Amino acid sequence: MKEQLEQIRRDFLTLVKEVRDRTQLEELKNEFLGRKGRLKGAMKEMASLAEEERKLIGAFANEIKEAIEHVYGEEEKKIEREEEATRAEREWIDITEPGSFQKTGHLHPVSQTIAEITDIFARIGFTRVPVPEVDWDYYAFEALNMPKDHPARDDWETFFIDAPEGKKGKIVAIPHISNVQVRAMEELKTPFRALYIGRAYRRQSDTSHLPIHHQFEVLMVDKGVTLCDLKGVIEHFVHSYFGKDRTVRLRPHHFRFTEPSFEIDISCDVCKGSGENNGASCRLCKEGWLELAGAGMTHPNVLKAGGIDPNTYTALAFAFGIERTLMMREGINLDDIRLLYKNDLRFVNQF
Ligand code: PHE
């Protein structure tokens, strides 16, 4: 009997070595310790033994049972540790690895530029004023010293809105944002410094022109505003936006609403103003200068139209095309300026 119990223990110890996982271990436990297990079987046989012997064998059977339970317990712990280790392996995450980010968009390069320009002028006291995108002929042309039928109007290839004519003429999709000049004079208290940014509409669309482009314009009205101030404000902008090493050149020009009038050139960054690059003419500017804006001292007739006495006040004004300005800073000569509005993320995401 004793030998039978020993055999049970030995079998258990051999078989437990082959156990690979929890299920196998449970099966083994059942086979040996279960209600119909081998140990129970052996113990049943004990019933036929004499009292004295039964006690001894009973105690021994208990010993064997405890030994098996002990080994079982050890084995169970071992399996638990293994399971824990594989789970840790399987569920391991590297918390130092860069996370996967939600794709967020960003402002269009033109909107970024507008924000930057607003900031640059805010630093010298210019406040943004709104731009009506359709306006009376009066504000777009007439008040700007361009009487009806004046040929200078043809310089702006204007879209007219199909709407009845009013006291201030026809309605146009503004071809420049200078329509705001007289509106600002009417609405703001003189002296003032106004910045306005908006879309201008012209009948043109080719590789270097957009039917809709953005402009920003400044208008500063005060006593004793001079050409020096004009150049100073332009330089403030150019140095802030393009960098201190860029030079500003005012080239005489003609606008009906400014006198004198200029075109603003800034030195090219690619050829540093020389017009040459490795012996060839500069790919960006060809002559050392980039033409970027129109400027001038506000014509007395315009001040008068805005109810301001030109004998007391003088004013400066200038306007830049924003798409061109932004391209020139990036030093890119787009084959087609319309690329800016093709909504091609491969392009837009470079800014
Ligand atoms: N409005 C002019 C244009 O769009 C530019 C300009 C603005 C010129 C202000 C002088 C003063 O061409």
Side-chain angles (χ1 to χ4, degrees), residues 156 176 178 181 202 215 217 255 257-258 294-296 317-319:
W156 289 271
H176 58 174
S178 299
Q181 290 187 7
R202 296 183 189 180
Q215 297 189 337
E217 184 167 307
F255 294 105
F257 37 92
T258 45
F318 63 86

PDB file of all heavy atoms in Angstrom, residues 156 176 178 181 202 215 217 255 257-258 294-296 317-319, ligand 1:
ATOM      1  N   TRP A 156      -6.645  99.473 -64.217  1.00  0.00           N
ATOM      2  CA  TRP A 156      -7.233  98.452 -63.346  1.00  0.00           C
ATOM      3  C   TRP A 156      -8.307  97.745 -64.137  1.00  0.00           C
ATOM      4  O   TRP A 156      -9.329  98.336 -64.473  1.00  0.00           O
ATOM      5  CB  TRP A 156      -7.814  99.105 -62.091  1.00  0.00           C
ATOM      6  CG  TRP A 156      -6.751  99.587 -61.183  1.00  0.00           C
ATOM      7  CD1 TRP A 156      -6.155  98.881 -60.193  1.00  0.00           C
ATOM      8  CD2 TRP A 156      -6.120 100.873 -61.198  1.00  0.00           C
ATOM      9  NE1 TRP A 156      -5.180  99.640 -59.585  1.00  0.00           N
ATOM     10  CE2 TRP A 156      -5.137 100.870 -60.170  1.00  0.00           C
ATOM     11  CE3 TRP A 156      -6.268 102.028 -61.960  1.00  0.00           C
ATOM     12  CZ2 TRP A 156      -4.322 101.966 -59.903  1.00  0.00           C
ATOM     13  CZ3 TRP A 156      -5.469 103.109 -61.704  1.00  0.00           C
ATOM     14  CH2 TRP A 156      -4.500 103.078 -60.679  1.00  0.00           C
ATOM     15  N   HIS A 176      -8.405  97.316 -56.611  1.00  0.00           N
ATOM     16  CA  HIS A 176      -7.313  97.585 -55.668  1.00  0.00           C
ATOM     17  C   HIS A 176      -7.998  97.956 -54.359  1.00  0.00           C
ATOM     18  O   HIS A 176      -9.195  98.218 -54.342  1.00  0.00           O
ATOM     19  CB  HIS A 176      -6.368  98.696 -56.155  1.00  0.00           C
ATOM     20  CG  HIS A 176      -7.035 100.021 -56.424  1.00  0.00           C
ATOM     21  ND1 HIS A 176      -6.338 101.148 -56.749  1.00  0.00           N
ATOM     22  CD2 HIS A 176      -8.343 100.400 -56.416  1.00  0.00           C
ATOM     23  CE1 HIS A 176      -7.175 102.160 -56.926  1.00  0.00           C
ATOM     24  NE2 HIS A 176      -8.383 101.735 -56.745  1.00  0.00           N
ATOM     25  N   SER A 178      -7.377 100.521 -52.580  1.00  0.00           N
ATOM     26  CA  SER A 178      -7.290 101.959 -52.314  1.00  0.00           C
ATOM     27  C   SER A 178      -8.674 102.584 -52.137  1.00  0.00           C
ATOM     28  O   SER A 178      -8.790 103.744 -51.720  1.00  0.00           O
ATOM     29  CB  SER A 178      -6.532 102.657 -53.446  1.00  0.00           C
ATOM     30  OG  SER A 178      -5.224 102.131 -53.529  1.00  0.00           O
ATOM     31  N   GLN A 181      -9.162 104.227 -48.857  1.00  0.00           N
ATOM     32  CA  GLN A 181      -8.545 105.510 -48.468  1.00  0.00           C
ATOM     33  C   GLN A 181      -9.571 106.550 -48.027  1.00  0.00           C
ATOM     34  O   GLN A 181      -9.539 107.051 -46.895  1.00  0.00           O
ATOM     35  CB  GLN A 181      -7.712 106.070 -49.631  1.00  0.00           C
ATOM     36  CG  GLN A 181      -6.454 105.266 -49.906  1.00  0.00           C
ATOM     37  CD  GLN A 181      -5.539 105.915 -50.938  1.00  0.00           C
ATOM     38  OE1 GLN A 181      -5.766 107.049 -51.379  1.00  0.00           O
ATOM     39  NE2 GLN A 181      -4.497 105.206 -51.330  1.00  0.00           N
ATOM     40  N   ARG A 202      -9.211  91.503 -60.509  1.00  0.00           N
ATOM     41  CA  ARG A 202      -8.870  92.070 -61.815  1.00  0.00           C
ATOM     42  C   ARG A 202      -9.064  91.031 -62.897  1.00  0.00           C
ATOM     43  O   ARG A 202      -8.879  89.831 -62.650  1.00  0.00           O
ATOM     44  CB  ARG A 202      -7.412  92.555 -61.823  1.00  0.00           C
ATOM     45  CG  ARG A 202      -7.189  93.693 -60.847  1.00  0.00           C
ATOM     46  CD  ARG A 202      -5.775  94.225 -60.906  1.00  0.00           C
ATOM     47  NE  ARG A 202      -5.559  95.168 -59.812  1.00  0.00           N
ATOM     48  CZ  ARG A 202      -4.425  95.818 -59.590  1.00  0.00           C
ATOM     49  NH1 ARG A 202      -3.396  95.623 -60.394  1.00  0.00           N
ATOM     50  NH2 ARG A 202      -4.324  96.647 -58.586  1.00  0.00           N
ATOM     51  N   GLN A 215      -3.994  92.277 -51.246  1.00  0.00           N
ATOM     52  CA  GLN A 215      -3.121  93.443 -51.082  1.00  0.00           C
ATOM     53  C   GLN A 215      -3.189  93.901 -49.631  1.00  0.00           C
ATOM     54  O   GLN A 215      -4.178  93.678 -48.946  1.00  0.00           O
ATOM     55  CB  GLN A 215      -3.622  94.626 -51.940  1.00  0.00           C
ATOM     56  CG  GLN A 215      -3.617  94.384 -53.434  1.00  0.00           C
ATOM     57  CD  GLN A 215      -3.923  95.666 -54.202  1.00  0.00           C
ATOM     58  OE1 GLN A 215      -4.531  96.608 -53.679  1.00  0.00           O
ATOM     59  NE2 GLN A 215      -3.512  95.703 -55.458  1.00  0.00           N
ATOM     60  N   GLU A 217      -2.503  97.659 -47.667  1.00  0.00           N
ATOM     61  CA  GLU A 217      -2.202  99.059 -47.940  1.00  0.00           C
ATOM     62  C   GLU A 217      -2.156  99.798 -46.609  1.00  0.00           C
ATOM     63  O   GLU A 217      -2.855  99.426 -45.662  1.00  0.00           O
ATOM     64  CB  GLU A 217      -3.296  99.650 -48.847  1.00  0.00           C
ATOM     65  CG  GLU A 217      -3.022 101.081 -49.276  1.00  0.00           C
ATOM     66  CD  GLU A 217      -3.944 101.537 -50.422  1.00  0.00           C
ATOM     67  OE1 GLU A 217      -4.017 100.839 -51.460  1.00  0.00           O
ATOM     68  OE2 GLU A 217      -4.582 102.595 -50.266  1.00  0.00           O
ATOM     69  N   PHE A 255       0.648 107.627 -60.251  1.00  0.00           N
ATOM     70  CA  PHE A 255      -0.708 107.220 -59.887  1.00  0.00           C
ATOM     71  C   PHE A 255      -1.504 108.504 -59.780  1.00  0.00           C
ATOM     72  O   PHE A 255      -0.967 109.549 -59.390  1.00  0.00           O
ATOM     73  CB  PHE A 255      -0.738 106.507 -58.528  1.00  0.00           C
ATOM     74  CG  PHE A 255      -0.018 105.185 -58.515  1.00  0.00           C
ATOM     75  CD1 PHE A 255       1.231 105.074 -57.893  1.00  0.00           C
ATOM     76  CD2 PHE A 255      -0.575 104.052 -59.102  1.00  0.00           C
ATOM     77  CE1 PHE A 255       1.897 103.862 -57.872  1.00  0.00           C
ATOM     78  CE2 PHE A 255       0.103 102.833 -59.079  1.00  0.00           C
ATOM     79  CZ  PHE A 255       1.345 102.737 -58.469  1.00  0.00           C
ATOM     80  N   PHE A 257      -3.753 109.139 -57.624  1.00  0.00           N
ATOM     81  CA  PHE A 257      -4.134 109.467 -56.237  1.00  0.00           C
ATOM     82  C   PHE A 257      -2.950 109.763 -55.332  1.00  0.00           C
ATOM     83  O   PHE A 257      -3.117 109.971 -54.133  1.00  0.00           O
ATOM     84  CB  PHE A 257      -5.015 108.354 -55.640  1.00  0.00           C
ATOM     85  CG  PHE A 257      -4.605 106.966 -56.083  1.00  0.00           C
ATOM     86  CD1 PHE A 257      -3.713 106.218 -55.338  1.00  0.00           C
ATOM     87  CD2 PHE A 257      -5.104 106.431 -57.266  1.00  0.00           C
ATOM     88  CE1 PHE A 257      -3.338 104.949 -55.750  1.00  0.00           C
ATOM     89  CE2 PHE A 257      -4.731 105.161 -57.695  1.00  0.00           C
ATOM     90  CZ  PHE A 257      -3.838 104.416 -56.933  1.00  0.00           C
ATOM     91  N   THR A 258      -1.764 109.763 -55.895  1.00  0.00           N
ATOM     92  CA  THR A 258      -0.599 110.171 -55.095  1.00  0.00           C
ATOM     93  C   THR A 258       0.259 111.123 -55.924  1.00  0.00           C
ATOM     94  O   THR A 258       0.323 111.013 -57.145  1.00  0.00           O
ATOM     95  CB  THR A 258       0.255 108.951 -54.673  1.00  0.00           C
ATOM     96  OG1 THR A 258       0.421 108.081 -55.788  1.00  0.00           O
ATOM     97  CG2 THR A 258      -0.362 108.199 -53.521  1.00  0.00           C
ATOM     98  N   GLY A 294       3.238  99.834 -54.967  1.00  0.00           N
ATOM     99  CA  GLY A 294       3.021 101.211 -55.409  1.00  0.00           C
ATOM    100  C   GLY A 294       2.927 102.100 -54.187  1.00  0.00           C
ATOM    101  O   GLY A 294       2.448 101.675 -53.142  1.00  0.00           O
ATOM    102  N   ALA A 295       3.407 103.337 -54.327  1.00  0.00           N
ATOM    103  CA  ALA A 295       3.432 104.210 -53.145  1.00  0.00           C
ATOM    104  C   ALA A 295       3.362 105.677 -53.560  1.00  0.00           C
ATOM    105  O   ALA A 295       3.510 106.011 -54.733  1.00  0.00           O
ATOM    106  CB  ALA A 295       4.724 103.982 -52.363  1.00  0.00           C
ATOM    107  N   GLY A 296       3.136 106.523 -52.567  1.00  0.00           N
ATOM    108  CA  GLY A 296       3.191 107.952 -52.852  1.00  0.00           C
ATOM    109  C   GLY A 296       2.662 108.785 -51.703  1.00  0.00           C
ATOM    110  O   GLY A 296       2.227 108.265 -50.682  1.00  0.00           O
ATOM    111  N   ALA A 317       0.779 106.866 -48.523  1.00  0.00           N
ATOM    112  CA  ALA A 317       0.061 105.611 -48.768  1.00  0.00           C
ATOM    113  C   ALA A 317       0.930 104.696 -49.612  1.00  0.00           C
ATOM    114  O   ALA A 317       1.704 105.169 -50.447  1.00  0.00           O
ATOM    115  CB  ALA A 317      -1.256 105.882 -49.498  1.00  0.00           C
ATOM    116  N   PHE A 318       0.827 103.425 -49.324  1.00  0.00           N
ATOM    117  CA  PHE A 318       1.454 102.453 -50.231  1.00  0.00           C
ATOM    118  C   PHE A 318       0.766 101.105 -50.114  1.00  0.00           C
ATOM    119  O   PHE A 318       0.112 100.805 -49.108  1.00  0.00           O
ATOM    120  CB  PHE A 318       2.970 102.331 -50.007  1.00  0.00           C
ATOM    121  CG  PHE A 318       3.387 101.819 -48.663  1.00  0.00           C
ATOM    122  CD1 PHE A 318       3.480 100.449 -48.426  1.00  0.00           C
ATOM    123  CD2 PHE A 318       3.716 102.703 -47.641  1.00  0.00           C
ATOM    124  CE1 PHE A 318       3.908  99.976 -47.197  1.00  0.00           C
ATOM    125  CE2 PHE A 318       4.135 102.240 -46.410  1.00  0.00           C
ATOM    126  CZ  PHE A 318       4.231 100.865 -46.174  1.00  0.00           C
ATOM    127  N   ALA A 319       0.899 100.316 -51.177  1.00  0.00           N
ATOM    128  CA  ALA A 319       0.231  99.013 -51.203  1.00  0.00           C
ATOM    129  C   ALA A 319       1.132  97.959 -51.824  1.00  0.00           C
ATOM    130  O   ALA A 319       1.797  98.212 -52.826  1.00  0.00           O
ATOM    131  CB  ALA A 319      -1.072  99.099 -51.982  1.00  0.00           C
TER     132      ALA A 319
HETATM  133  N1  PHE B   1      -3.617 101.022 -55.562  1.00  0.00           N
HETATM  134  C1  PHE B   1      -2.428 100.898 -56.322  1.00  0.00           C
HETATM  135  C2  PHE B   1      -2.472  99.598 -57.126  1.00  0.00           C
HETATM  136  O1  PHE B   1      -3.114  98.699 -56.740  1.00  0.00           O
HETATM  137  C3  PHE B   1      -1.178 100.933 -55.483  1.00  0.00           C
HETATM  138  C4  PHE B   1      -0.986 102.179 -54.670  1.00  0.00           C
HETATM  139  C5  PHE B   1      -1.522 102.267 -53.410  1.00  0.00           C
HETATM  140  C6  PHE B   1      -0.259 103.243 -55.145  1.00  0.00           C
HETATM  141  C7  PHE B   1      -1.332 103.399 -52.644  1.00  0.00           C
HETATM  142  C8  PHE B   1      -0.057 104.371 -54.417  1.00  0.00           C
HETATM  143  C9  PHE B   1      -0.590 104.435 -53.142  1.00  0.00           C
HETATM  144  O2  PHE B   1      -1.867  99.516 -58.151  1.00  0.00           O
END
